[in-house]
Short mmCIF file of all heavy atoms in Angstrom, two decimals:
data_model
loop_
_atom_site.label_atom_id
_atom_site.label_comp_id
_atom_site.label_asym_id
_atom_site.label_seq_id
_atom_site.Cartn_x
_atom_site.Cartn_y
_atom_site.Cartn_z
N GLU A 1 14.92 1.84 14.19
CA GLU A 1 14.46 2.90 13.29
C GLU A 1 14.94 2.68 11.87
O GLU A 1 14.21 2.92 10.91
CB GLU A 1 14.91 4.29 13.80
CG GLU A 1 14.27 4.70 15.10
CD GLU A 1 14.94 4.09 16.34
OE1 GLU A 1 16.03 3.47 16.21
OE2 GLU A 1 14.36 4.21 17.43
N ALA A 2 16.17 2.21 11.72
CA ALA A 2 16.73 1.97 10.39
C ALA A 2 15.94 0.87 9.68
O ALA A 2 15.66 0.98 8.48
CB ALA A 2 18.21 1.59 10.50
N ILE A 3 15.58 -0.19 10.41
CA ILE A 3 14.80 -1.28 9.81
C ILE A 3 13.41 -0.79 9.42
O ILE A 3 12.90 -1.13 8.35
CB ILE A 3 14.72 -2.48 10.78
CG1 ILE A 3 16.10 -3.11 10.97
CG2 ILE A 3 13.71 -3.51 10.31
CD1 ILE A 3 16.69 -3.74 9.72
N GLN A 4 12.80 0.03 10.27
CA GLN A 4 11.48 0.58 9.94
C GLN A 4 11.56 1.44 8.68
O GLN A 4 10.70 1.36 7.80
CB GLN A 4 10.93 1.40 11.11
CG GLN A 4 10.47 0.58 12.28
CD GLN A 4 9.28 -0.30 11.93
OE1 GLN A 4 8.37 0.09 11.24
NE2 GLN A 4 9.33 -1.53 12.41
N ASN A 5 12.60 2.26 8.60
CA ASN A 5 12.78 3.11 7.41
C ASN A 5 12.96 2.26 6.16
O ASN A 5 12.39 2.56 5.11
CB ASN A 5 13.98 4.05 7.58
CG ASN A 5 13.72 5.12 8.60
OD1 ASN A 5 12.58 5.45 8.93
ND2 ASN A 5 14.78 5.70 9.12
N LEU A 6 13.76 1.20 6.28
CA LEU A 6 13.98 0.31 5.14
C LEU A 6 12.67 -0.34 4.72
O LEU A 6 12.37 -0.43 3.53
CB LEU A 6 15.01 -0.76 5.49
CG LEU A 6 15.29 -1.81 4.42
CD1 LEU A 6 15.84 -1.17 3.14
CD2 LEU A 6 16.26 -2.86 4.95
N LYS A 7 11.88 -0.78 5.68
CA LYS A 7 10.60 -1.43 5.38
C LYS A 7 9.70 -0.51 4.56
O LYS A 7 9.16 -0.93 3.53
CB LYS A 7 9.90 -1.83 6.68
CG LYS A 7 8.53 -2.44 6.45
CD LYS A 7 7.93 -3.04 7.70
CE LYS A 7 7.63 -2.04 8.76
NZ LYS A 7 6.91 -2.62 9.91
N TYR A 8 9.57 0.73 4.99
CA TYR A 8 8.68 1.64 4.27
C TYR A 8 9.27 2.09 2.93
O TYR A 8 8.54 2.32 1.98
CB TYR A 8 8.28 2.82 5.16
CG TYR A 8 7.32 2.36 6.23
CD1 TYR A 8 7.72 2.18 7.53
CD2 TYR A 8 6.00 2.04 5.90
CE1 TYR A 8 6.84 1.72 8.50
CE2 TYR A 8 5.11 1.57 6.85
CZ TYR A 8 5.54 1.42 8.15
OH TYR A 8 4.65 0.95 9.09
N GLU A 9 10.59 2.17 2.86
CA GLU A 9 11.24 2.51 1.59
C GLU A 9 10.99 1.40 0.56
O GLU A 9 10.62 1.66 -0.59
CB GLU A 9 12.74 2.68 1.82
CG GLU A 9 13.54 2.93 0.56
CD GLU A 9 15.03 3.00 0.82
OE1 GLU A 9 15.43 3.49 1.89
OE2 GLU A 9 15.79 2.56 -0.06
N VAL A 10 11.18 0.15 0.98
CA VAL A 10 10.97 -0.99 0.09
C VAL A 10 9.50 -1.07 -0.32
O VAL A 10 9.18 -1.26 -1.50
CB VAL A 10 11.44 -2.30 0.75
CG1 VAL A 10 10.97 -3.51 -0.04
CG2 VAL A 10 12.95 -2.31 0.88
N ALA A 11 8.60 -0.90 0.63
CA ALA A 11 7.16 -0.95 0.33
C ALA A 11 6.80 0.12 -0.70
O ALA A 11 6.07 -0.15 -1.66
CB ALA A 11 6.35 -0.76 1.61
N ARG A 12 7.33 1.31 -0.52
CA ARG A 12 7.06 2.40 -1.46
C ARG A 12 7.58 2.05 -2.85
O ARG A 12 6.89 2.24 -3.84
CB ARG A 12 7.71 3.69 -0.92
CG ARG A 12 7.27 4.95 -1.57
CD ARG A 12 7.78 6.22 -0.87
NE ARG A 12 9.16 6.15 -0.36
CZ ARG A 12 9.49 6.03 0.91
NH1 ARG A 12 8.58 5.95 1.85
NH2 ARG A 12 10.76 6.00 1.27
N GLU A 13 8.81 1.52 -2.92
CA GLU A 13 9.39 1.14 -4.21
C GLU A 13 8.59 0.04 -4.90
O GLU A 13 8.49 0.02 -6.12
CB GLU A 13 10.84 0.70 -4.02
CG GLU A 13 11.77 1.83 -3.68
CD GLU A 13 13.17 1.35 -3.38
OE1 GLU A 13 13.50 0.16 -3.63
OE2 GLU A 13 13.98 2.17 -2.88
N LEU A 14 8.04 -0.89 -4.11
CA LEU A 14 7.27 -1.99 -4.68
C LEU A 14 5.80 -1.62 -4.89
O LEU A 14 5.04 -2.42 -5.45
CB LEU A 14 7.36 -3.23 -3.78
CG LEU A 14 8.74 -3.85 -3.60
CD1 LEU A 14 8.68 -5.02 -2.63
CD2 LEU A 14 9.33 -4.28 -4.93
N GLY A 15 5.40 -0.45 -4.42
CA GLY A 15 4.01 -0.03 -4.56
C GLY A 15 3.06 -0.78 -3.65
O GLY A 15 1.90 -0.98 -3.98
N VAL A 16 3.56 -1.18 -2.48
CA VAL A 16 2.76 -1.95 -1.53
C VAL A 16 2.35 -1.04 -0.38
O VAL A 16 3.18 -0.35 0.20
CB VAL A 16 3.56 -3.15 -0.98
CG1 VAL A 16 2.79 -3.87 0.10
CG2 VAL A 16 3.94 -4.10 -2.10
N ASN A 17 1.05 -1.04 -0.05
CA ASN A 17 0.56 -0.35 1.12
C ASN A 17 0.52 -1.36 2.26
O ASN A 17 -0.34 -2.23 2.29
CB ASN A 17 -0.85 0.22 0.89
CG ASN A 17 -0.84 1.33 -0.12
OD1 ASN A 17 0.03 2.19 -0.10
ND2 ASN A 17 -1.81 1.32 -1.02
N LEU A 18 1.48 -1.26 3.17
CA LEU A 18 1.58 -2.21 4.26
C LEU A 18 0.37 -2.12 5.18
O LEU A 18 -0.17 -1.05 5.39
CB LEU A 18 2.84 -1.96 5.07
CG LEU A 18 4.15 -2.18 4.34
CD1 LEU A 18 5.31 -1.72 5.20
CD2 LEU A 18 4.32 -3.63 3.97
N GLY A 19 -0.04 -3.25 5.72
CA GLY A 19 -1.12 -3.24 6.70
C GLY A 19 -1.98 -4.48 6.62
O GLY A 19 -1.79 -5.36 5.78
N ALA A 20 -2.96 -4.51 7.51
CA ALA A 20 -3.85 -5.68 7.63
C ALA A 20 -4.71 -5.88 6.38
O ALA A 20 -5.13 -7.01 6.09
CB ALA A 20 -4.74 -5.53 8.85
N ASP A 21 -5.00 -4.83 5.64
CA ASP A 21 -5.84 -4.94 4.45
C ASP A 21 -5.06 -5.41 3.22
O ASP A 21 -5.65 -5.64 2.17
CB ASP A 21 -6.50 -3.60 4.14
CG ASP A 21 -7.49 -3.19 5.21
OD1 ASP A 21 -7.98 -4.08 5.94
OD2 ASP A 21 -7.77 -1.99 5.33
N THR A 22 -3.75 -5.54 3.35
CA THR A 22 -2.91 -5.97 2.24
C THR A 22 -2.68 -7.47 2.37
O THR A 22 -2.54 -7.99 3.47
CB THR A 22 -1.56 -5.22 2.28
OG1 THR A 22 -1.82 -3.82 2.25
CG2 THR A 22 -0.69 -5.58 1.10
N SER A 23 -2.62 -8.16 1.25
CA SER A 23 -2.43 -9.62 1.29
C SER A 23 -1.09 -9.97 1.92
O SER A 23 -0.13 -9.20 1.87
CB SER A 23 -2.50 -10.21 -0.12
OG SER A 23 -1.35 -9.87 -0.86
N SER A 24 -1.06 -11.15 2.53
CA SER A 24 0.19 -11.60 3.14
C SER A 24 1.28 -11.76 2.10
O SER A 24 2.46 -11.57 2.38
CB SER A 24 -0.03 -12.90 3.91
OG SER A 24 -0.52 -13.91 3.07
N ARG A 25 0.89 -12.08 0.87
CA ARG A 25 1.88 -12.22 -0.20
C ARG A 25 2.57 -10.88 -0.47
O ARG A 25 3.79 -10.82 -0.60
CB ARG A 25 1.22 -12.74 -1.48
CG ARG A 25 2.19 -12.80 -2.66
CD ARG A 25 1.50 -13.40 -3.85
NE ARG A 25 1.38 -14.82 -3.60
CZ ARG A 25 1.72 -15.75 -4.48
NH1 ARG A 25 2.14 -15.41 -5.67
NH2 ARG A 25 1.60 -17.01 -4.20
N LEU A 26 1.77 -9.81 -0.55
CA LEU A 26 2.37 -8.49 -0.80
C LEU A 26 3.19 -8.02 0.39
O LEU A 26 4.29 -7.50 0.23
CB LEU A 26 1.30 -7.47 -1.16
CG LEU A 26 0.68 -7.62 -2.53
CD1 LEU A 26 -0.47 -6.62 -2.73
CD2 LEU A 26 1.72 -7.42 -3.62
N ASN A 27 2.64 -8.18 1.60
CA ASN A 27 3.40 -7.81 2.79
C ASN A 27 4.69 -8.63 2.86
O ASN A 27 5.75 -8.10 3.19
CB ASN A 27 2.58 -8.03 4.06
CG ASN A 27 1.58 -6.92 4.32
OD1 ASN A 27 1.79 -5.77 3.97
ND2 ASN A 27 0.47 -7.27 4.93
N GLY A 28 4.61 -9.91 2.52
CA GLY A 28 5.79 -10.77 2.53
C GLY A 28 6.82 -10.40 1.49
O GLY A 28 8.02 -10.59 1.70
N SER A 29 6.36 -9.85 0.38
CA SER A 29 7.31 -9.44 -0.66
C SER A 29 8.21 -8.32 -0.14
O SER A 29 9.39 -8.24 -0.51
CB SER A 29 6.58 -9.00 -1.93
OG SER A 29 5.87 -7.80 -1.73
N VAL A 30 7.67 -7.49 0.73
CA VAL A 30 8.47 -6.41 1.32
C VAL A 30 9.54 -7.02 2.22
O VAL A 30 10.72 -6.67 2.13
CB VAL A 30 7.58 -5.43 2.11
CG1 VAL A 30 8.43 -4.41 2.86
CG2 VAL A 30 6.61 -4.72 1.16
N GLY A 31 9.15 -7.98 3.08
CA GLY A 31 10.12 -8.64 3.95
C GLY A 31 11.18 -9.38 3.17
O GLY A 31 12.36 -9.36 3.54
N GLY A 32 10.79 -10.02 2.09
CA GLY A 32 11.75 -10.73 1.26
C GLY A 32 12.77 -9.81 0.63
O GLY A 32 13.97 -10.11 0.59
N GLU A 33 12.30 -8.67 0.14
CA GLU A 33 13.21 -7.70 -0.47
C GLU A 33 14.12 -7.08 0.58
O GLU A 33 15.30 -6.85 0.32
CB GLU A 33 12.42 -6.61 -1.20
CG GLU A 33 13.28 -5.57 -1.89
CD GLU A 33 14.15 -6.10 -3.01
OE1 GLU A 33 13.83 -7.16 -3.58
OE2 GLU A 33 15.16 -5.45 -3.33
N MET A 34 13.59 -6.84 1.78
CA MET A 34 14.43 -6.32 2.86
C MET A 34 15.55 -7.30 3.18
O MET A 34 16.71 -6.90 3.32
CB MET A 34 13.58 -6.09 4.12
CG MET A 34 12.64 -4.92 4.04
SD MET A 34 11.56 -4.84 5.49
CE MET A 34 12.74 -4.57 6.80
N THR A 35 15.21 -8.58 3.28
CA THR A 35 16.20 -9.61 3.59
C THR A 35 17.26 -9.65 2.51
O THR A 35 18.47 -9.71 2.79
CB THR A 35 15.52 -10.97 3.73
OG1 THR A 35 14.56 -10.90 4.78
CG2 THR A 35 16.53 -12.07 4.02
N LYS A 36 16.84 -9.60 1.26
CA LYS A 36 17.77 -9.62 0.13
C LYS A 36 18.76 -8.46 0.23
O LYS A 36 19.97 -8.64 0.06
CB LYS A 36 16.96 -9.53 -1.17
CG LYS A 36 17.75 -9.62 -2.43
CD LYS A 36 16.78 -9.71 -3.60
CE LYS A 36 17.30 -8.95 -4.78
NZ LYS A 36 16.35 -8.93 -5.89
N ARG A 37 18.25 -7.28 0.52
CA ARG A 37 19.13 -6.10 0.62
C ARG A 37 20.07 -6.19 1.81
O ARG A 37 21.25 -5.81 1.72
CB ARG A 37 18.29 -4.83 0.70
CG ARG A 37 17.57 -4.53 -0.58
CD ARG A 37 16.79 -3.25 -0.50
NE ARG A 37 15.94 -3.09 -1.68
CZ ARG A 37 15.31 -1.97 -1.96
NH1 ARG A 37 15.40 -0.92 -1.18
NH2 ARG A 37 14.56 -1.89 -3.04
N LEU A 38 19.57 -6.68 2.95
CA LEU A 38 20.42 -6.79 4.12
C LEU A 38 21.52 -7.83 3.92
O LEU A 38 22.65 -7.63 4.36
CB LEU A 38 19.57 -7.12 5.36
CG LEU A 38 18.67 -5.98 5.83
CD1 LEU A 38 17.69 -6.48 6.88
CD2 LEU A 38 19.47 -4.80 6.34
N VAL A 39 21.21 -8.91 3.24
CA VAL A 39 22.23 -9.91 2.94
C VAL A 39 23.30 -9.31 2.03
O VAL A 39 24.50 -9.51 2.24
CB VAL A 39 21.59 -11.17 2.30
CG1 VAL A 39 22.65 -12.09 1.70
CG2 VAL A 39 20.76 -11.92 3.33
N GLU A 40 22.89 -8.55 1.03
CA GLU A 40 23.86 -7.91 0.14
C GLU A 40 24.75 -6.94 0.91
O GLU A 40 25.96 -6.90 0.66
CB GLU A 40 23.15 -7.17 -1.01
CG GLU A 40 22.70 -8.09 -2.12
CD GLU A 40 23.85 -8.90 -2.72
OE1 GLU A 40 24.91 -8.33 -3.05
OE2 GLU A 40 23.68 -10.12 -2.85
N LEU A 41 24.16 -6.16 1.82
CA LEU A 41 24.97 -5.25 2.64
C LEU A 41 25.98 -6.02 3.47
O LEU A 41 27.14 -5.61 3.59
CB LEU A 41 24.07 -4.43 3.56
CG LEU A 41 23.32 -3.26 2.93
CD1 LEU A 41 22.32 -2.67 3.93
CD2 LEU A 41 24.29 -2.20 2.47
N GLY A 42 25.54 -7.14 4.05
CA GLY A 42 26.45 -7.97 4.83
C GLY A 42 27.59 -8.53 4.01
O GLY A 42 28.74 -8.52 4.43
N LYS A 43 27.28 -8.99 2.81
CA LYS A 43 28.32 -9.52 1.92
C LYS A 43 29.34 -8.45 1.58
O LYS A 43 30.55 -8.69 1.60
CB LYS A 43 27.69 -10.06 0.64
CG LYS A 43 26.99 -11.37 0.79
CD LYS A 43 26.42 -11.80 -0.55
CE LYS A 43 25.69 -13.12 -0.47
NZ LYS A 43 25.13 -13.51 -1.78
#
């Protein structure tokens, strides 16, 4: 649930509407930002 919340929070901040109609580049930008934030939390 926490990961799902993070995904939608990041998408909202980036202005990305997640889904099949969105380009893989935009969907991927959400995953990239999530990874960046999770790495920072780990550090």
Side-chain angles (χ1 to χ4, degrees):
E1 294 81 9
I3 293 295
Q4 287 295 319
N5 290 340
L6 177 61
K7 177 171 65 174
Y8 288 104
E9 176 184 325
V10 168
R12 194 171 39 254
E13 289 175 10
L14 297 177
V16 174
N17 292 317
L18 295 173
D21 294 337
T22 303
S23 72
S24 58
R25 176 176 286 228
L26 287 175
N27 281 329
S29 69
V30 173
E33 181 63 23
M34 288 174 63
T35 301
K36 184 172 143 184
R37 291 182 189 191
L38 291 170
V39 167
E40 280 303 311
L41 282 172
K43 285 180 180 179

